[in-house]
Amino acid sequence: MDWNKTKSIFIIVFSILNVFLYSLYLDRYTESENLEELSESSVDEKLKADEITYSNLPEDVKGMPYIRGETKIFTAKEAPQENVQVNIQDGKQLQVAYEEPVSLTGEAESADALDAFVEEIVHEGSSYELWEIDKEQNKAVYFQNFDGETLYFSKDGKVTVYWNNDGDIVRYKQTMFTDIIENQEPKELVSAITAIHTLYQKNLLERDLTINKTELGYSVHVQVSEDRQMFVPTWHIQAELSDGSREDYFVNAVKDGVIELNKQEEETE
């Protein structure tokens, strides 16, 4: 038996087989790419058919890192020193009640007047930004931000301001994160349109809906310890429904999954 000849035949056969398998892989890969593109296109067509519109989506989005922060422990010195009763719940929530209501500078219950109050009176108030004004419950909610990015719906990074029927401030509550640092190198983020597609494919978007805000921020990802939390980059997508009401959606900007944030109303004291 000519072993060298046999070996050469085996080498040729295996080379041909490798070429065949590689070509088969390329065909399958191309098919999957085409199917993915078709799927994206199909979602866009369905969005249009359902009259779900959007415009001015962020482009060329840069990567963002995970971040983590420590829950602040408050002391009475971080509250106003006059005309107040101060309580600190579990060391983490500063509660300030005014003995005599405080009038706002400017139009009562307006965003500008509330912003001015928070920035001037609340401890490090400039590190919070307005989320919503609830005129039915006479309150406004502010979320803490880090490096210009909002920390959405974290109970440990929030200010809630309350007023009476005359529009005068009667009390506020504050929680806060300190020592916020970037945890890792920036992560590549999914695009805004991909986040919208995810919401649609999860049947979360109603017909005749207008997406009027699409922005990046952070939401709680994991509780590292009792006083430390880690945050993940998050798409916030705000929409106006057909009845004129507002709806807010949140999508994990790293792993592209819908995030259900706690949006329950605070209990009225």
Side-chain angles (χ1 to χ4, degrees):
M1 179 177 181
D2 190 341
W3 173 246
N4 289 330
K5 185 175 181 181
T6 303
K7 184 171 65 173
S8 298
I9 293 173
F10 272 110
I11 292 173
I12 294 171
V13 170
F14 278 113
S15 297
I16 294 173
L17 180 60
N18 285 337
V19 171
F20 170 75
L21 292 175
Y22 182 68
S23 64
L24 185 62
Y25 163 78
L26 287 178
D27 289 342
R28 294 289 176 86
Y29 179 80
T30 302
E31 288 177 7
S32 66
E33 288 286 293
N34 291 337
L35 286 173
E36 184 176 335
E37 291 177 5
L38 179 61
S39 176
E40 293 290 308
S41 175
S42 177
V43 173
D44 283 331
E45 291 175 2
K46 290 180 179 179
L47 287 170
K48 186 176 181 180
D50 285 343
E51 299 182 45
I52 297 172
T53 60
Y54 55 85
S55 60
N56 301 321
L57 298 183
E59 297 181 358
D60 300 324
V61 177
K62 296 181 179 179
M64 292 171 59
Y66 286 80
I67 61 174
R68 67 177 186 269
E70 305 282 341
T71 305
K72 178 176 176 57
I73 301 301
F74 282 95
T75 64
K77 69 180 182 180
E78 286 145 345
Q81 301 301 303
E82 298 180 355
N83 186 34
V84 295
Q85 295 179 355
V86 178
N87 180 51
I88 301 175
Q89 184 177 356
D90 299 327
K92 302 175 183 179
Q93 185 183 82
L94 180 66
Q95 302 175 346
V96 176
Y98 286 97
E99 296 174 351
E100 293 292 333
V102 175
S103 298
L104 292 172
T105 302
E107 183 180 351
E109 303 177 24
S110 72
D112 288 342
L114 288 165
D115 287 349
F117 171 82
V118 171
E119 289 185 16
E120 180 180 354
I121 302 299
V122 175
H123 177 69
E124 296 190 21
S126 60
S127 63
Y128 296 82
E129 64 180 44
L130 181 64
W131 172 254
E132 68 175 357
I133 298 175
D134 187 336
K135 294 186 177 181
E136 291 186 0
Q137 297 195 35
N138 286 3
K139 73 175 186 178
V141 176
Y142 285 74
F143 292 151
Q144 191 176 349
N145 61 61
F146 168 72
D147 197 22
E149 308 291 353
T150 304
L151 309 182
Y152 299 115
F153 286 97
S154 171
K155 64 182 180 64
D156 292 330
K158 181 167 68 171
V159 169
T160 308
V161 181
Y162 301 85
W163 55 87
N164 60 23
N165 290 333
D166 294 325
D168 298 329
I169 303 298
V170 294
R171 63 189 176 96
Y172 70 85
K173 299 189 295 187
Q174 179 183 12
T175 55
M176 188 176 188
F177 285 101
T178 62
D179 301 322
I180 300 176
I181 61 173
E182 297 181 357
N183 193 55
Q184 299 177 14
E185 292 296 319
K187 299 291 186 181
E188 183 177 349
L189 306 182
V190 301
S191 66
I193 187 61
T194 296
I196 293 171
H197 286 180
T198 296
L199 292 171
Y200 183 81
Q201 291 173 324
K202 296 290 185 180
N203 296 318
L204 295 176
L205 300 181
E206 297 183 8
R207 288 181 56 87
D208 192 17
L209 170 153
T210 301
I211 294 171
N212 48 37
K213 181 185 290 186
T214 309
E215 60 187 359
L216 284 164
Y218 284 95
S219 63
V220 175
H221 180 57
V222 65
Q223 186 88 25
V224 179
S225 64
E226 182 179 357
D227 296 323
R228 178 182 294 178
Q229 294 184 6
M230 184 179 295
F231 297 83
V232 63
T234 300
W235 279 110
H236 166 220
I237 297 170
Q238 186 181 103
E240 181 179 338
L241 307 184
S242 57
D243 62 1
S245 62
R246 161 184 161 181
E247 189 68 38
D248 295 278
Y249 309 92
F250 301 90
V251 176
N252 187 317
V254 177
K255 297 184 178 180
D256 189 29
V258 176
I259 301 175
E260 296 289 343
L261 296 183
N262 179 17
K263 293 181 276 187
Q264 296 179 354
E265 297 292 337
E266 295 178 341
E267 294 182 2
T268 302
E269 297 181 2

